[in-house]
Amino acid sequence: MSTKTPETANDNKWIGKRTIRPDGADKVTGRAAYAADTTMPGMIWGKVLRSPHPHARIKSIDTSKAEAHPGVKAVMTAKDIVNFPLDKSVMLGIQDMRWMCRNVMAREKALFAGHPVAAVAATTEKIAAEACKLIEVEYEVLPFVIDVEEAMKPDAPILHDFIKFKDKPSNIAGTLEHKLGDIGEGFAKADVVIERSFRTQPVHQGYIEPHACLVSVSDGKATIWSSSQGQFMVRAMCAYLTGLPQNDIRAIPAEIGGGFGGKTIIYLEPLALILAKKSGRPVKMTMTRGEVFHASGPTSGSFSTVKLGATKDGKLVAAQGTFCLQAGALPGSPIRGAAGCAFAPYDIPNVHSFGYDVVSNRSKVAAYRAPGAPIGAYGVECVMDELAEALKMDPLDFRLKNAARQGTKAAHGPVYPRIGFVETIEEAKKHAHYTTPLPKSKKGMLYGRGVASGFWFNAGGESSAQVNVNEDGTVVVITGHPDIGGSRASTANITAEILGIDYKKVSVLIGDTSVIGFSNLTGGSRVTYASAMVVTQSTERVIGQLRERAAKIWKIDPDAVVWENGEARPAGDNAGKFEPLSLGQIAAQASATGGPIGAGQQLNTTGAEGGFATHVCDVEVDPDLGIVRVLRYTAFQDVGRAIHPSYVEGQIQGGAAQGIGWALSEEYIFNKDGKLDNPSFLDYRMPVSSDLPMLDSVILEIPNPKHPQGVRGVGEVPLVPPLGAISNAVYNALGRRFYSLPMSPPKIMATMDMAAD
């Protein structure tokens, strides 16, 4: 890993340093408490009965035999969940509760194989599972549709009669459009025009920890321990779905064993809450890995068409994209990311980008790291390479000639401020990875190199923090964001830097809904950005209090006290000659000078700016076996400011690794009966360590001027370029393009066989 700081010198004591991660020891020793580790006296177990059919009307449910089964304490169905009628939208953040109430439990119809239709709580998991089998459900089996293109056809089975497109029932649940300039005029000016279509399959986030929760209800008050990316989201959705007031629900975030966006919604929590309320006992629920694959949200599969036009001197003049994304059984595919991010890295005067949100009989999609953006970038970056080849230009030179800069107007709305996209390309061009020749073909192996770029919006949003000084001079910081990307380490670095104390004296906690103000989800690459702002403001207020306390001790005006390097000092000789007071010394006298020292801040943060990256990938292709191996991978990313470089490096490496899986091996495979055929890590081929090279990162720091530490979001962008970079590398090796992912051995072999014929 290397770091480039063209505009700042990293002279901080803690910001930008690789401090020891605060959660590391607990995680490597097994002390960290995850949701599945939580237990309570009197606890019982909940299990879910799921539909065997991808599409079926639920005519009746008889739970009487299950209720009478020994050991069963409670049974529930959709009638126990608040019904949000389909004719009126009820939004909670970006989630429509009409869909959420039908996602956690099937109501009128079962919409995918694995859709929950009932749940049981019993004294053991085995008894609960046995009781589920005793529930009698009468289904009217209906025709189903799995593929996005098939679902868009006029004669496709319709999932929801109330969804209309062009005044007719349709599986097209929504659209999104971005326009800039006039694409007709733009393409008329083009000397070279290339149009291609692309397909991707649904891929799962692949978090190692399945969904789990424990819910207790006492005196009408519920406490929820769960694995999620937002305890306030859990509280609000459970309140909506069960009818309990939010102030009667306390949501406590456990450690989280991965999420990547897949734990920004709920599945088990409202079911466990209802079962706990009915039974009067704490209820624990965990998903099996099979249930995670069958019934939690992967990202969308897609069908896309991308058209680009350029002049003979290599200037892009027009771009058009149509992105059709699977939403799963209920509306809500990430067309914003696909349509908004696809062309965002480039300065193109004429753009038309259109997204279709399409329902089909699959589990409802969930967010997955830059939702939709990898799909959009995949098609665009492949066509960019085809254009560069047609124009006889180096692919990075072509991107550099058309790169978005400060002042570029993006099709999705903004005029870019200072951004670092150009720097990512320039660093890639001169890096040893790009300048070192590829190996020559040997033993039948073929070698190729590909590049691609990508963009993600990044986000701000609501965040809260509290900074308290202990009597011994140590500091406790409480934020409201589950830590899935290193936010505790970054918070400790920032707090220690501002206070001028050792980072080991700063403890960072994740507060539950009863101890910290509202904080939005951990997602969208928002947490380090947003939490740093509220933590900075809280810490600055604490420094103000420390100066006031020192002034009381010295009996001078607070304006005559400055805070430097962890100490209060007189502002000058005129203020008086006093020995500096450390934070610990001031804290020791807190009772005598006014009481506890601490401050909090709540803010709807703004000013988040988009992130850009450029990736370079080398592959080896075995044409006899169809196997593609990634040999070398380097990612170049503008991160604004790397508060904790090791975590930034980890985010970039993780995104690249996931992108390699998406491009080469991962996919949901459905059989002729509309059921998932590979619901396990044995058959769903995520990359393992032996599939990956060392993943290198070059961190570029072009500070965001709207943030006190210059932060830009980091976590989403690394997953955007890999699909295109790897696809371009495979083409460079084989001389044949693949317009469908994953590029698995059967697809490689089929294409090679066709070429041979």
Side-chain angles (χ1 to χ4, degrees):
M1 192 279 289
S2 61
T3 303
K4 305 288 184 178
T5 55
E7 298 181 8
T8 60
N10 195 351
D11 57 355
N12 293 311
K13 189 172 184 181
W14 302 118
I15 289 177
K17 308 304 180 186
R18 298 173 182 268
T19 53
I20 296 172
R21 55 188 293 174
D23 57 329
D26 283 349
K27 286 181 175 174
V28 300
T29 58
R31 291 195 302 264
Y34 296 88
D37 296 323
T38 311
T39 60
M40 288 188 74
M43 183 185 80
I44 58 177
W45 292 85
K47 295 294 286 184
V48 176
L49 175 67
R50 301 181 183 276
S51 169
H53 307 293
H55 196 194
R57 198 174 311 281
I58 299 173
K59 302 186 74 173
S60 66
I61 302 178
D62 184 352
T63 62
S64 58
K65 292 180 181 178
E67 290 167 347
H69 191 61
V72 170
K73 301 299 180 183
V75 180
M76 65 159 296
T77 63
K79 65 182 176 60
D80 297 298
I81 293 174
V82 174
N83 181 20
F84 290 86
L86 293 168
D87 59 355
K88 185 178 180 181
S89 176
V90 180
M91 298 302 295
L92 177 60
I94 63 171
Q95 298 292 346
D96 191 326
M97 298 311 296
R98 293 178 297 174
W99 317 140
M100 291 309 302
C101 79
R102 287 163 175 79
N103 195 45
V104 299
M105 192 66 72
R107 189 168 290 273
E108 301 87 359
K109 294 194 293 183
L111 295 165
F112 59 91
H115 201 165
V117 295
V120 174
T123 51
T124 68
E125 281 188 280
K126 182 179 179 181
I127 292 173
E130 290 171 348
C132 282
K133 296 177 183 178
L134 298 176
I135 297 172
E136 297 175 353
V137 184
E138 183 182 359
Y139 294 103
E140 177 190 345
V141 179
L142 302 171
F144 63 87
V145 61
I146 298 294
D147 181 76
V148 63
E149 291 177 82
E150 294 296 321
M152 295 178 73
K153 291 180 178 178
D155 59 348
I158 299 298
L159 273 69
H160 308 285
D161 292 334
F162 64 90
I163 291 179
K164 301 286 197 301
F165 183 72
K166 295 183 178 179
D167 298 323
K168 294 181 179 178
S170 174
N171 292 321
I172 299 174
T175 61
L176 177 69
E177 185 175 26
H178 295 299
K179 284 185 176 182
L180 181 66
D182 186 318
I183 60 165
E185 292 181 5
F187 282 117
K189 295 176 182 177
D191 298 307
V192 181
V193 176
I194 295 177
E195 182 175 6
R196 298 286 184 262
S197 294
F198 302 87
R199 290 170 178 80
T200 68
Q201 296 301 316
V203 295
H204 200 271
Q205 299 86 349
Y207 35 81
I208 300 303
E209 177 203 22
H211 297 267
C213 69
L214 172 65
V215 181
S216 173
V217 179
S218 178
D219 296 328
K221 307 277 188 182
T223 303
I224 303 170
W225 293 265
S226 69
S227 173
S228 84
Q229 291 177 233
Q231 63 273 33
F232 292 91
M233 172 275 299
V234 170
R235 180 183 69 178
M237 286 195 176
C238 285
Y240 270 74
L241 294 173
T242 65
L244 283 177
Q246 288 194 36
N247 66 338
D248 284 347
I249 300 175
R250 180 184 182 187
I252 301 173
E255 284 289 351
I256 182 168
F260 312 107
K263 293 177 181 175
T264 57
I265 62 174
I266 56 173
Y267 299 100
L268 301 177
E269 291 92 336
L271 312 187
L273 197 163
I274 290 168
L275 291 170
K277 192 175 178 182
K278 280 190 165 191
S279 66
R281 303 271 291 273
V283 173
K284 184 172 184 175
M285 300 184 77
T286 61
M287 282 190 182
T288 64
R289 182 60 59 185
E291 287 178 308
V292 170
F293 274 111
H294 279 295
S296 69
T299 193
S300 303
S302 69
F303 170 73
S304 304
T305 300
V306 173
K307 181 180 179 182
L308 290 175
T311 57
K312 59 186 177 183
D313 64 348
K315 186 62 182 158
L316 289 169
V317 289
Q320 186 172 24
T322 302
F323 306 97
C324 307
L325 271 61
Q326 292 162 338
L330 298 157
S333 70
I335 53 175
R336 173 178 174 265
C341 297
F343 304 110
Y346 304 110
D347 185 0
I348 311 173
N350 307 289
V351 180
H352 183 214
S353 187
F354 202 96
Y356 288 94
D357 181 26
V358 184
V359 296
S360 60
N361 295 111
R362 302 171 177 259
S363 56
K364 176 176 167 55
V365 301
Y368 182 13
R369 212 166 185 165
I375 292 170
Y378 164 50
V380 170
E381 293 302 307
C382 288
V383 177
M384 286 288 289
D385 256 41
E386 288 199 59
L387 269 177
E389 184 178 34
L391 294 165
K392 295 181 170 55
M393 291 183 68
D394 175 90
L396 285 181
D397 285 338
F398 183 50
R399 285 168 173 80
L400 186 58
K401 188 178 184 72
N402 293 284
R405 294 168 164 83
Q406 185 172 357
T408 296
K409 170 70 174 175
H412 66 278
V415 174
Y416 291 135
R418 178 71 176 95
I419 57 175
F421 180 43
V422 166
E423 286 83 347
T424 70
I425 303 173
E426 291 175 337
E427 289 297 326
K429 276 193 65 179
K430 64 186 182 185
H431 193 272
H433 184 166
Y434 200 66
T435 59
T436 301
L438 282 166
K440 293 182 179 179
S441 297
K442 55 185 179 181
K443 296 181 180 179
M445 298 297 177
L446 302 173
Y447 298 90
R449 175 171 294 154
V451 302
S453 297
F455 165 87
W456 175 250
F457 308 107
N458 291 328
E462 303 96 329
S463 290
S464 301
Q466 177 71 33
V467 178
N468 296 322
V469 177
N470 296 323
E471 299 91 323
D472 62 354
T474 57
V475 176
V476 176
V477 184
I478 305 172
T479 72
H481 314 99
D483 181 4
I484 64 172
S487 58
R488 280 175 290 199
S490 294
T491 295
N493 283 7
I494 290 168
T495 306
E497 187 74 46
I498 296 171
L499 286 172
I501 62 175
D502 192 295
Y503 83 98
K504 294 177 183 176
K505 292 186 176 182
V506 180
S507 175
V508 183
L509 306 177
I510 311 302
D512 64 57
T513 55
S514 66
V515 301
I516 192 68
F518 179 81
S519 298
N520 214 326
L521 289 165
T522 296
S525 294
R526 64 170 293 274
V527 168
T528 296
Y529 176 86
S531 65
M533 294 182 80
V534 290
V535 166
T536 295
Q537 293 182 20
S538 299
T539 306
E540 288 172 344
R541 290 176 61 190
V542 166
I543 288 174
Q545 295 177 26
L546 293 168
R547 290 172 54 234
E548 290 174 357
R549 301 305 176 88
K552 282 189 177 182
I553 294 169
W554 291 332
K555 296 182 173 54
I556 62 176
D557 192 283
D559 290 338
V561 180
V562 296
W563 187 265
E564 295 176 348
N565 298 319
E567 296 178 327
R569 300 171 181 270
D573 290 342
N574 291 339
K577 294 191 179 293
F578 303 102
E579 288 296 316
L581 288 171
S582 69
L583 190 152
Q585 289 172 318
I586 296 172
Q589 300 182 60
S591 295
T593 57
I597 300 170
Q601 182 65 45
Q602 297 172 290
L603 191 67
N604 187 4
T605 61
T606 58
E609 299 295 349
F612 295 86
T614 297
H615 291 193
V616 182
C617 172
D618 291 356
V619 299
E620 174 188 81
V621 183
D622 184 334
D624 294 326
L625 298 177
I627 296 172
V628 179
R629 300 179 183 91
V630 178
L631 299 180
R632 187 173 185 181
Y633 202 102
T634 308
F636 304 81
Q637 185 168 325
D638 169 22
V639 306
R641 193 65 178 275
I643 303 299
H644 194 292
S646 293
Y647 270 112
V648 171
E649 181 182 67
Q651 291 275 19
I652 294 172
Q653 291 170 334
Q658 289 176 317
I660 290 169
W662 195 335
L664 297 179
S665 59
E666 295 184 46
E667 62 179 318
Y668 269 37
I669 299 172
F670 284 82
N671 63 25
K672 62 182 178 60
D673 298 318
K675 298 179 181 180
L676 185 62
D677 239 1
N678 59 332
S680 73
F681 282 147
L682 180 64
D683 297 314
Y684 179 88
R685 273 287 289 124
M686 280 175 56
V688 296
S689 59
S690 58
D691 297 317
L692 300 171
M694 295 298 291
L695 301 168
D696 297 321
S697 59
V698 176
I699 296 172
L700 304 171
E701 295 188 287
I702 293 87
N704 176 2
K706 298 178 182 178
H707 191 273
Q709 285 82 34
V711 168
R712 298 180 196 271
V714 170
E716 319 288 289
V717 182
L719 186 52
V720 183
L723 314 189
I726 298 165
S727 295
N728 291 332
V730 171
Y731 166 74
N732 187 243
L734 295 178
R736 297 176 181 83
R737 286 209 170 267
F738 293 81
Y739 298 104
S740 176
L741 299 181
M743 293 176 289
S744 55
K747 287 185 183 176
I748 299 286
M749 293 301 297
T751 299
M752 298 299 290
D753 291 343
M754 287 174 59
D757 293 339

